[in-house]
Amino acid sequence: MTQPKNAVFNIAVIVAALGYFVDIYDLLLFGIIRIESLKDLGLNEAALLTDGETILQWQMWGLLLGGIIWGVMGDKKGRISVLFGSIILYSIANIANGFVQTVDQYKCIRFIAGLGLAGELGAGITLVSELTSKEKRGIATSMVAGLGLTGAVVAFFVKENFHWRTCYFIGGGLGLLLLLLRISVFESGMFHEVKKMNVKRGNLLMFFSNAERFKKYLIAILIGLPTWFVIGVLVTFSSEFGKHMGITEKIDPGKSIMFAYVAISLGDIIIGFVSQWFKSRKKALYVFYAITAFFMILYFTIQWNGSASQMYWICAGLGFGTGFWAIFVTMGAEQFGTNIRATAATTIPNMIRGMLAIFILPLFQGLRNVTDFYTGGWISAIIIMAIGTAAIILTKETFGKDLNYVEE
């Protein structure tokens, strides 16, 4: 039995969106409750930044490793197996997070949570891409991301009303409840067909054994760098940036994340229609990159001695501009054959998340050590945007591409 390909809202889209909702809730929860939770563990003001960065890096390392594990499993065992396995792991980790007593425990549990979180989006986007017609694929995957990203908004309001430990328990409970909905989801017909063929499935080395394939894979990763620079640096540490820019009002980084993700959710839905209107993924990316660059300029130029509300609205603008997560993950899925598509779509976003630990935070830390916090931020922004723009120029258009093929 298969689902109708002409339907944008099918059960796969709904379940993938709900899964991504819980995924984002958990993924962003640490950034939202970072200050409260670390103060409760007895850390001083300086450690809120340094240990906060370290815990975030451990989570991103988990995402990086988990992306590889779940991506390979998605092509070998099926997209559905990943949707079940990943949510079980990160739901249990979420619940365990509510019991941590030390920074070391916090780091380990966020690493395990990252392992689980890594499988959600890639498997969901792959499944939806293969179950939806090529004409409506971009809109369907944008709906998954747009609706799912509201998890960050819910995380903020939960944090406003509950103790930080309870916030983790709620996230774990939501994940386990979602398991019941996943029973009704069908496996991709394309995956069933490829299982019968004599081709390698889920072979990560295939991305590195062919120069053209490696180039596509690397470019797909680099396109997404601005998203996690914005969220992982500018928004998450908006309180610290505000202090360095003379903003005397208290800035709540959880509120900054909430504003950013409301806008990201809108951006991720709108970009699907923009891509449809242009009949081009690349042109849509150029538009949203331009919006991101504009709000980065505002972030670093007009906020001196400004206000907390101004910071929140600029974070919202940055969020809207970086609302291209679904489109570039969809492009990653569209560029590779069915036998390694889940591996591509799952590892690409998690490689980008991992780049926060490997490249983005070390770049920012290094630059701020030789200049200052503010200057390190804007120089990092220029470097990240330049790399991403070059990647868009070099990538191939994938709009309307037929996905029923394999990689030899």
Side-chain angles (χ1 to χ4, degrees):
M1 185 174 179
T2 58
Q3 299 181 70
K5 282 203 166 192
N6 61 345
V8 172
F9 284 105
N10 53 47
I11 188 65
V13 170
I14 295 168
V15 171
L18 289 173
Y20 193 40
F21 171 92
V22 179
D23 174 289
I24 288 295
Y25 175 100
D26 188 18
L27 183 66
L28 275 297
L29 187 58
F30 172 69
I32 291 172
I33 62 175
R34 169 178 61 97
I35 293 175
E36 291 88 340
S37 63
L38 295 181
K39 280 184 176 178
D40 198 30
L41 295 182
L43 274 68
N44 59 33
E45 196 70 26
L48 298 180
L49 173 63
T50 55
D51 283 330
E53 285 180 329
T54 302
I55 293 169
L56 185 59
Q57 283 177 306
W58 273 68
Q59 176 176 298
M60 294 307 171
W61 278 112
L63 285 158
L64 182 61
L65 179 59
I68 296 170
I69 295 170
W70 295 116
V72 171
M73 183 179 289
D75 282 320
K76 288 186 178 293
K77 301 295 183 181
R79 289 58 166 133
I80 300 298
S81 65
V82 174
L83 291 178
F84 275 94
S86 64
I87 202 166
I88 291 171
L89 182 57
Y90 71 73
S91 295
I92 293 172
N94 236 357
I95 293 169
N97 243 139
F99 295 103
V100 298
Q101 300 297 325
T102 67
V103 170
D104 285 339
Q105 290 174 0
Y106 217 150
K107 289 188 292 188
C108 291
I109 299 298
R110 291 321 296 163
F111 176 80
I112 295 169
L115 285 174
L117 289 166
E120 188 65 50
L121 179 62
I125 291 291
T126 302
L127 187 64
V128 170
S129 295
E130 293 177 343
L131 291 175
T132 309
S133 68
K134 62 184 180 181
E135 293 79 14
K136 297 181 179 179
R137 188 187 305 139
I139 295 176
T141 54
S142 290
M143 290 295 177
V144 170
L147 296 174
L149 287 164
T150 58
V153 182
V154 172
F156 171 75
F157 285 108
V158 169
K159 167 254 188 184
E160 290 290 287
N161 293 282
F162 296 95
H163 190 270
W164 67 269
R165 294 185 187 276
T166 306
C167 294
Y168 280 120
F169 296 146
I170 290 172
L174 288 172
L176 294 175
L177 283 173
L178 185 58
L179 279 172
L180 300 176
L181 280 176
R182 298 211 153 154
I183 296 171
S184 59
V185 181
F186 300 94
E187 183 58 88
S188 161
M190 290 184 191
F191 174 74
H192 282 310
E193 290 176 14
V194 115
K195 278 178 68 177
K196 302 172 186 175
M197 301 170 65
N198 186 25
V199 293
K200 291 180 180 179
R201 290 183 285 118
N203 185 346
L204 186 67
L205 296 178
M206 289 181 70
F207 294 107
F208 306 97
S209 60
N210 176 282
E212 183 61 27
R213 195 179 294 139
F214 174 71
K215 177 184 173 184
K216 289 192 297 182
Y217 186 65
L218 178 61
I219 288 171
I221 293 169
L222 297 179
I223 288 173
L225 287 182
T227 58
W228 272 97
F229 173 73
V230 165
I231 295 303
V233 176
L234 301 185
V235 176
T236 296
F237 300 109
S238 56
S239 176
E240 287 81 0
F241 274 106
K243 290 175 184 176
H244 282 83
M245 291 188 282
I247 299 175
T248 56
E249 288 183 75
K250 179 184 177 183
I251 295 171
D252 179 357
K255 196 169 184 179
S256 297
I257 291 172
M258 188 271 288
F259 267 74
Y261 268 85
V262 168
I264 289 174
S265 179
L266 291 173
D268 255 308
I269 292 172
I270 291 171
I271 197 172
F273 291 95
V274 172
S275 173
Q276 199 76 17
W277 183 49
F278 281 133
K279 304 295 182 188
S280 168
R281 308 276 191 243
K282 290 183 66 168
K283 289 179 181 178
L285 281 174
Y286 282 129
V287 170
F288 277 71
Y289 254 60
I291 295 170
T292 302
F294 174 73
F295 280 98
M296 280 183 174
I297 292 170
L298 295 185
Y299 187 99
F300 288 108
T301 58
I302 71 167
Q303 296 206 91
W304 288 93
N305 302 311
S307 64
S309 61
Q310 185 181 52
M311 172 65 83
Y312 299 143
W313 284 110
I314 289 178
C315 284
L318 285 168
F320 184 82
T322 53
F324 53 80
W325 191 248
I327 283 296
F328 88 79
V329 175
T330 302
M331 289 176 72
E334 290 172 332
Q335 294 196 62
F336 299 97
T338 309
N339 54 322
I340 58 170
R341 184 169 298 130
T343 305
T346 306
T347 56
I348 286 169
N350 289 300
M351 287 290 181
I352 295 159
R353 290 162 169 172
M355 290 291 269
L356 180 63
I358 297 171
F359 174 62
I360 296 172
L361 279 176
L363 172 69
F364 172 51
Q365 290 163 344
L367 287 170
R368 80 183 189 218
N369 287 339
V370 297
T371 56
D372 56 67
F373 198 89
Y374 166 81
T375 305
W378 68 257
I379 294 175
S380 298
I382 292 173
I383 293 170
I384 296 295
M385 290 299 289
I387 293 171
T389 302
I392 298 177
I393 292 170
L394 294 172
T395 197
K396 292 182 178 179
E397 182 61 67
T398 61
F399 184 86
K401 185 176 180 180
D402 185 358
L403 298 188
N404 196 12
Y405 70 97
V406 297
E407 301 276 351
E408 297 296 338

